[in-house]
Amino acid sequence: MNTVKIISGLFLAGLFSLTLTSCENNESIQPQQDLLPQKFSVDIPQSLSNTNSVRSGRASGRIKEDTLQGNDIYLHLNTFIAVGEGAAQLVEEFINGIRKYKIDRIQSLTYRSEDDNRIKNLVVLSDVDYEGRLWDYQLTITDAESETQPDGGKALQIFWNKGREISGIAIIKPYNCDRIQNVNAKDAVFRIDYTETSTLNYDAQMEVSISGLPLANPLQDPFSVSALKMFVGKKGDAVDVFGNTDHPNAILFAGNTGFNWAFVASGSDSKNIGVAEVGLPPSQLDETDRNVLLKEYSIRNVFTDEITAVWPGINQDLLAAYLSNTAAPGYFDAKKGFLTGGISPGAEWDELAPRLTGLTPFNPKVLHELAITFK
């Protein structure tokens, strides 16, 4: 079946370098007895978070020309989850990078960044109130020459409670961390909310938010995003993930613009397998019902409507064959990526699939209006 490219345009390649660019060279440093948190992210199974699908061209192969392949369909899901996980790992890398300064007390210091060669100021405070909660410590790093700007030159703020079970919030503006590597993302801001005292019955959980990403020309990069929000919770061997990315200028088929990539997923950490369901609701839809976000706007329903609008006389058997892999949920492993759609490949996946019913993506309209600010 000869069709337009539906999902083959890659999502902002620069976002990978953006999320992996920290404020310091992260050379190997021996752990110090300091105040800084030792953990600030939840690991995601590679079956769900897999950048190899982008770099290896795994999704480019086709078994049949008349069937949209599963790895084509879910390529961006792997990418988005990998980017969210990378943003959280950036926080840990940054924290390890500043351990060299032995942050073991309330203090302030000035240093020259090894990345952009600019002066940075670092301040540590204790007993700080933020968002209605008292935190043991707050660490703030600013770009010294930019402290008079509207954003205060803030590069990083971390609020955390030190103890056996860590809780914290980290906010990063990559441009103020490194103005060389991040010159094209001046407004991008990341936020990580991490806790080991979950009220949702997880051993640990994190919420990743990214706003202000630069939008590409939709004709050149139809899947560039302006915002991402993702939740990850780990309970024993199971890891649950749900979230959205906002595509306000995205082009899907013949000119349909502005949609939200909404997803829920669950994976096994030890078995490295996963199950996922994806919806494509409108970018500004004000809705929280998972049946609307994932069922009404399922990939199969949206693709069927869009293809039929472009080719109203299309043979329905041909269309059904082409979209056969869009049946939900999708089943994955780390080696092959997509395995099947709608039909479980085995008992191990059967244990994960029911977890999806308890997960709901974020409201698309809220994500569309997402803005992250420092204290």
Side-chain angles (χ1 to χ4, degrees), residues 83-351:
V83 168
E85 184 180 32
Q89 291 172 346
L90 168 64
V91 173
E92 291 188 338
E93 292 175 4
F94 185 93
I95 291 171
N96 288 332
I98 60 177
R99 288 190 193 280
K100 67 180 76 174
Y101 301 115
K102 299 181 180 179
I103 311 300
D104 58 359
R105 63 189 183 282
I106 309 308
Q107 65 185 103
S108 61
L109 58 89
T110 296
Y111 67 93
R112 184 177 295 276
S113 169
E114 297 175 2
D115 292 313
D116 61 7
N117 200 38
R118 293 170 66 92
I119 299 299
K120 312 292 181 181
N121 291 325
L122 183 153
V123 178
V124 181
L125 304 174
S126 65
D127 300 325
V128 177
D129 182 77
Y130 181 60
E131 295 187 344
R133 181 175 178 181
L134 186 65
W135 299 93
D136 292 343
Y137 300 103
Q138 171 190 320
L139 182 148
T140 303
I141 295 178
T142 58
D143 182 79
E145 296 179 31
S146 306
E147 291 178 352
T148 59
Q149 298 300 309
D151 64 1
K154 291 185 176 70
L156 171 74
Q157 277 190 327
I158 306 177
F159 305 87
W160 76 99
N161 289 327
K162 184 173 174 61
R164 293 184 63 183
E165 296 180 325
I166 300 168
S167 291
I169 298 172
I171 306 170
I172 296 179
K173 188 167 188 177
Y175 178 65
N176 286 334
C177 291
D178 184 344
R179 297 204 167 187
I180 297 175
Q181 292 294 325
N182 302 309
V183 67
N184 294 321
K186 295 182 179 181
D187 297 319
V189 185
F190 305 161
R191 171 169 167 154
I192 313 298
D193 292 65
Y194 175 79
T195 183
E196 295 171 358
T197 56
S198 171
T199 60
L200 300 175
N201 198 33
Y202 289 106
D203 300 327
Q205 69 181 56
M206 69 176 179
E207 190 171 289
V208 180
S209 303
I210 304 176
S211 70
L213 293 172
L215 286 168
N217 183 324
L219 295 177
Q220 297 174 349
D221 189 354
F223 279 79
S224 65
V225 301
S226 64
L228 179 150
K229 193 173 181 71
M230 183 177 80
F231 173 92
V232 183
K234 181 174 176 60
K235 179 66 174 179
D237 185 61
V239 179
D240 296 332
V241 185
F242 63 82
N244 310 55
T245 63
D246 186 35
H247 306 252
N249 292 343
I251 294 178
L252 185 66
F253 291 92
N256 184 338
T257 63
F259 64 91
N260 194 276
W261 191 284
F263 59 88
V264 296
S266 187
S268 165
D269 201 15
S270 62
K271 299 172 185 174
N272 218 340
I273 60 175
V275 183
E277 188 171 359
V278 174
L280 295 172
S283 182
Q284 299 193 46
L285 178 68
D286 188 5
E287 184 59 73
T288 59
D289 189 333
R290 78 181 307 278
N291 286 325
V292 174
L293 299 175
L294 297 173
K295 305 298 184 183
E296 182 178 335
Y297 288 101
S298 67
I299 286 184
R300 170 166 283 185
N301 286 347
V302 173
F303 281 15
T304 297
D305 290 345
E306 293 295 317
I307 292 174
T308 303
V310 177
W311 297 284
I314 190 171
N315 180 286
Q316 292 302 302
D317 290 337
L318 182 63
L319 178 59
Y322 183 71
L323 296 179
S324 61
N325 284 327
T326 62
Y331 296 87
F332 307 84
D333 68 13
K335 184 177 181 180
K336 295 181 180 179
F338 177 83
L339 298 175
T340 63
I343 301 174
S344 171
E348 293 179 323
W349 286 266
D350 292 340
E351 297 177 5

Side-chain angles (χ1 to χ4, degrees), residues 6-7 58-75 299 303 321-326 332 338-339:
I6 298 176
I7 315 185
R58 184 184 70 188
S60 62
R62 294 192 182 278
I63 300 172
K64 292 182 179 180
E65 285 300 324
D66 60 354
T67 301
L68 179 63
Q69 297 303 299
N71 280 324
D72 287 336
I73 298 166
Y74 290 99
L75 168 64
I299 286 184
F303 281 15
Y322 183 71
L323 296 179
S324 61
N325 284 327
T326 62
F332 307 84
F338 177 83
L339 298 175

Side-chain angles (χ1 to χ4, degrees), residues 354-375:
R355 301 184 68 89
L356 299 185
T357 60
L359 307 177
T360 303
F362 299 103
N363 187 325
K365 183 176 174 61
V366 171
L367 183 63
H368 182 72
E369 298 171 351
L370 179 66
I372 303 171
T373 58
F374 290 92
K375 179 179 178 182

